[in-house]
Amino acid sequence: MPSVLLATAGYDHKVRLWEASTGTCNKQLNFGDSQVNCLDISPNKQYIAAAGNPHTRIYDVNASGNDPLKNLDGHTHNVTAVGFQKDTKWMYSGSEDGTLRIWDLRSPGTAREFGSCQREYDNGCGINAVALHPNQGELIAGDQNGNIRVFDLTQNKMSREQPSGVGSPIRSITIAADASLAATAHDNGMCVLWTLPTDGQTVSRFEERRTFTAHDTYVSSCTPQSW
Amino acid sequence: MEDEADSEEQDVVFAATTAILFLGSLLYFLNGLHVQVLNCKLSPDAEYFATASADTTVRLWRTEDLLGTSDSSPLSSSESGDADAADTEPEPEPQMMAPPVETTVADAAIAPAPHKILKGHQRWVWDCCFSADSAYLVSSSSDETAKLWDLTQGEPIRTYSGHTKAVTAVSLNDMDTAAPS
């Protein structure tokens, strides 16, 4: 039976690990000085990455203590996305400082220091969301200008800019595990569903298939609505 | 008396103007009738699309409905919001999110009805994550909890309580690590 790791974090400076089936909290990891904006669990279930403003921290799930294994320093503003390569060889982070970074996760003792920043890409404007293409070779960033940008890790550069057509900042980006579909959510409540045509091109392109309003609830009162 | 009526009218105009200005500033993240989507995820099997929202719900869509590859689905009707829950504690600080670009959505693109609307959180839902088999979803909220949803029922089956402030991120890894990738 596969083990289940469930992690949550937010504004109380703790990353909580839960027993998913029973609801009990197994562990509280210390995050430190800011809220956590995003977190991810490594595919091999060994690490948890959590990021806030502006720090990114990586934790060893099996360690006895509650402090990070490593602080990944470099971003200067809110880190809005973190994720792992499928074999947990590296992880990525994207930030409102406009940069996308790759962090080496090969074990300590190799020539490159664990958690060192291997690459930095400049998106030109704040990044709000990042997804790693299932091909492991492209990082897809969604940004404050409402554009999708594809960063090709083999060519080591931005390879495509795809306007979303919505004219509103991208809030979230997701790609299905078989890369057949992608979706973006925007600040104005619109969502776009995309297909990624496999027409022999080496650089992924996005074909808009549906643009729609996802949540259309009326505001029903004038009371101060703390958000 | 005319003077009294004028004076009363002025009071009403003043009060209305103040209310409009106040409300306008509160609607900072709302564009007309559209409520912000805070996060979205496609299920691993690509059959479902989930949106986590400031309207306290997670909406689950069948991607075949969105792509038009299924039989036509009824258009969605607007939900009456339970958006007036009495909130006294402030939600996460504004600087986490840069201000949205103001847009006018002249033709709000109508969506098909969502497959399910997951109701249960009391406040904004910030994040969500599917299980590896696409049968479950975890969501996290400003209501300080995370919830596990059985997607065939559309009901929450677990609530994870303990955080003392908004839970803005959730991650689930129930992949079978022994399986070849």
Side-chain angles (χ1 to χ4, degrees):
Chain A
M1 176 159 16
S3 65
V4 178
L5 268 184
L6 174 62
T8 57
Y11 274 65
D12 67 3
H13 305 292
K14 299 284 187 194
V15 177
R16 281 177 174 253
L17 300 185
W18 306 88
E19 191 65 51
S21 53
T22 62
T24 53
C25 179
N26 289 333
K27 204 157 183 180
Q28 292 189 60
L29 306 173
N30 297 318
F31 185 77
D33 53 2
S34 82
Q35 81 282 2
V36 174
N37 297 328
C38 50
L39 72 86
D40 199 16
I41 300 170
S42 66
N44 65 4
K45 298 181 183 166
Q46 192 178 351
Y47 302 114
I48 289 175
N53 189 9
H55 298 291
T56 302
R57 301 190 161 111
I58 188 159
Y59 301 82
D60 181 341
V61 169
N62 299 308
S64 53
N66 297 322
D67 290 322
L69 179 62
K70 187 92 189 224
N71 290 307
L72 309 182
D73 292 323
H75 285 301
T76 56
H77 289 76
N78 275 302
V79 178
T80 52
V82 286
F84 290 87
Q85 185 264 355
K86 70 176 172 66
D87 303 311
T88 316
K89 288 182 187 166
W90 46 266
M91 57 174 273
Y92 62 83
S93 60
S95 167
E96 288 179 352
D97 69 8
T99 68
L100 194 56
R101 288 168 190 260
I102 306 276
W103 310 86
D104 188 355
L105 294 181
R106 284 169 291 182
S107 53
T110 58
R112 287 205 176 87
E113 198 187 321
F114 179 87
S116 64
C117 182
Q118 278 189 317
R119 297 194 199 178
E120 184 185 327
Y121 299 104
D122 185 9
N123 185 64
C125 71
I127 294 171
N128 296 333
V130 183
L132 175 62
H133 193 291
N135 66 15
Q136 308 298 303
E138 293 173 303
L139 277 171
I140 320 294
D143 68 27
Q144 190 60 23
N145 288 340
N147 292 322
I148 295 169
R149 288 229 175 93
V150 180
F151 290 85
D152 188 315
L153 301 179
T154 310
Q155 297 183 53
N156 202 24
K157 65 182 178 75
M158 189 195 78
S159 54
R160 193 186 297 280
E161 181 178 313
Q162 170 72 57
S164 62
V166 173
S168 174
I170 292 175
R171 183 54 46 202
S172 182
I173 191 163
T174 177
I175 304 180
D178 63 0
S180 60
L181 286 179
T184 51
H186 298 258
D187 272 0
N188 66 355
M190 307 288 285
C191 288
V192 184
L193 206 63
W194 309 83
T195 47
L196 282 71
T198 49
D199 50 7
Q201 292 187 47
T202 51
V203 174
S204 287
R205 66 183 178 89
F206 291 77
E207 199 166 273
E208 186 264 352
R209 292 295 303 276
R210 189 72 184 260
T211 299
F212 64 103
T213 305
H215 289 250
D216 57 358
T217 306
Y218 285 81
V219 177
S220 59
S221 86
C222 297
T223 54
Q225 185 147 237
S226 59
W227 58 273
Chain B
M1 305 286 282
E2 224 170 40
D3 285 346
E4 279 180 12
D6 281 347
S7 165
E8 196 174 286
E9 189 185 15
Q10 279 174 12
D11 287 344
V12 169
V13 169
F14 178 76
T17 308
T18 308
I20 287 166
L21 290 172
F22 184 54
L23 191 61
S25 61
L26 287 178
L27 291 174
Y28 188 57
F29 281 105
L30 303 181
N31 178 18
L33 306 175
H34 307 147
V35 181
Q36 194 167 17
V37 176
L38 299 170
N39 221 303
C40 67
K41 288 281 181 357
L42 281 162
S43 62
D45 62 10
E47 281 189 31
Y48 292 102
F49 176 58
T51 53
S53 172
D55 72 2
T56 77
T57 71
V58 175
R59 286 193 174 189
L60 200 66
W61 314 80
R62 294 191 68 92
T63 51
E64 62 181 15
D65 292 342
L66 295 171
L67 291 170
T69 52
S70 66
D71 291 340
S72 60
S73 314
L75 297 178
S76 66
S77 55
S78 41
E79 297 273 312
S80 65
D82 346 305
D84 48 357
D87 283 341
T88 52
E89 189 185 62
E91 303 260 355
E93 289 80 30
Q95 66 262 22
M96 181 201 159
M97 294 157 101
V101 172
E102 200 172 278
T103 60
T104 52
V105 184
D107 307 302
I110 306 292
H115 177 63
K116 288 217 163 53
I117 298 178
L118 307 181
K119 295 185 182 180
H121 280 299
Q122 302 299 306
R123 289 161 75 177
W124 287 29
V125 185
W126 287 93
D127 198 3
C128 61
C129 191
F130 281 95
S131 62
D133 62 3
S134 305
Y136 298 91
L137 180 124
V138 222
S139 59
S140 70
S141 167
S142 286
D143 68 10
E144 303 172 4
T145 73
K147 287 182 186 290
L148 176 68
W149 305 82
D150 176 336
L151 297 180
T152 51
Q153 306 295 322
E155 294 294 325
I157 55 175
R158 284 288 179 277
T159 296
Y160 304 96
S161 300
H163 280 292
T164 56
K165 291 204 176 163
V167 190
T168 47
V170 60
S171 187
L172 175 67
N173 185 341
D174 62 339
M175 292 190 294
D176 183 359
T177 47
S181 58

